Each structure stands twice: as structure tokens, then as C-alpha cells.
């Protein structure tokens, strides 16, 4: 089994099933004891802002705020630097515990031994 799972989610409200699947997999992995790093890119970047996840609706899916809490309980959520900049999101705007980092950090995470990566 991998020591760490890195998940990059590019979808937001524009592709709700893909978005929900990424957050669900991340939360289940954390609950299973896997180290998780969830990267918010593209339209999922908006979910780094307080209250935005509560606006997300998908029938028969776990509420996004609960999934985010599950990931944050034992994993890391990172907002892509460029995605944040394109949306005018600053460090002081994001949920406590969300970091903003760029491609060099993402590459170092996915290239480490014992890591599996998924992109949604």
C-alpha cells in the first residue's frame, strides 16, 4: 500500500460528480489511515474559501463541508498558487489550515517514494 495519496481535483460546481468523488476518496482515505494531500486547482479552488463548500449540492453525496473537515482532520489541503491568483484569492481569504503552494511542491509530493497520485 502507498504511504501517501496525493489527489488533484480540478473540478468544482462545473462537474459536480467528479468534484464530489475526489473529496470523497480523500476523506475515506484519511479515515482509513492513509496520509492524504488534496490539491485544489481550477474550479475547485473556490472551495478553499469559507462557506463556499456549503453552497455545493449533489444528490446522494456526502456534504462537501463534512468531506473537507474529514480531510483536514488528518490530511493536508493545498490551493494551487496560480489558481488562487487567477481568482484573486489571498492567503488571508482561505479556510484555516489550507496552504497555498505551487507546482514545485506538487511535483515533489508526487515524486516521493511510496506515493500514489490521482487526478479528478
Amino acid at each position: 500500500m502507498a504511504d501517501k495519496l496525493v489527489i488533484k481535483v480540478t473540478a468544482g460546481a462545473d462537474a459536480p460528480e467528479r468534484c464530489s468523488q475526489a473529496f470523497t476518496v480523500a476523506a475515506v482515505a484519511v479515515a482509513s489511515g492513509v496520509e492524504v494531500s488534496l490539491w485544489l486547482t481550477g474550479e475547485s479552488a473556490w472551495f478553499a474559501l469559507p462557506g463556499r463548500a456549503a453552497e455545493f449540492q449533489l444528490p446522494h453525496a456526502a456534504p462537501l463541508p463534512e468531506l473537507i473537515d474529514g480531510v483536514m482532520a488528518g490530511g493536508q489541503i493545498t490551493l494551487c498558487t496560480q489558481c488562487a491568483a487567477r481568482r484573486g484569492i489571498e492567503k488571508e481569504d482561505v479556510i484555516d489550515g489550507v496552504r497555498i503552494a505551487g507546482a514545485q511542491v506538487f511535483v515533489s509530493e508526487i515524486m516521493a517514494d511510496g506515493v500514489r497520485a490521482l487526478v479528478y
Side-chain angles (χ1 to χ4, degrees):
M1 178 185 284
D3 298 322
K4 184 175 184 176
L5 179 61
V6 179
I7 300 171
K8 184 179 213 181
V9 56
T10 62
D14 60 324
E17 288 181 306
R18 197 162 31 108
C19 176
S20 179
Q21 186 177 34
F23 281 94
T24 300
V25 168
V28 168
V30 168
S32 299
V34 176
E35 181 182 355
V36 172
S37 177
L38 178 65
W39 283 73
L40 307 178
T41 67
E43 287 302 298
S44 71
W46 296 113
F47 298 126
L49 298 175
R52 292 301 283 267
E55 299 171 6
F56 181 85
Q57 299 292 319
L58 182 63
H60 310 291
L64 204 53
E66 291 178 18
L67 296 173
I68 289 172
D69 288 346
V71 174
M72 296 290 282
Q76 174 69 59
I77 296 180
T78 304
L79 172 58
C80 163
T81 302
Q82 289 182 12
C83 299
R86 280 191 283 275
R87 289 160 178 82
I89 300 172
E90 303 285 337
K91 176 61 183 159
E92 60 272 6
D93 300 327
V94 301
I95 298 167
D96 287 340
V98 171
R99 70 177 174 171
I100 298 177
Q104 70 280 9
V105 176
F106 179 77
V107 170
S108 70
E109 284 190 13
I110 64 170
M111 296 306 294
D113 287 337
V115 173
R116 304 243 185 209
L118 298 171
V119 177
Y120 287 91

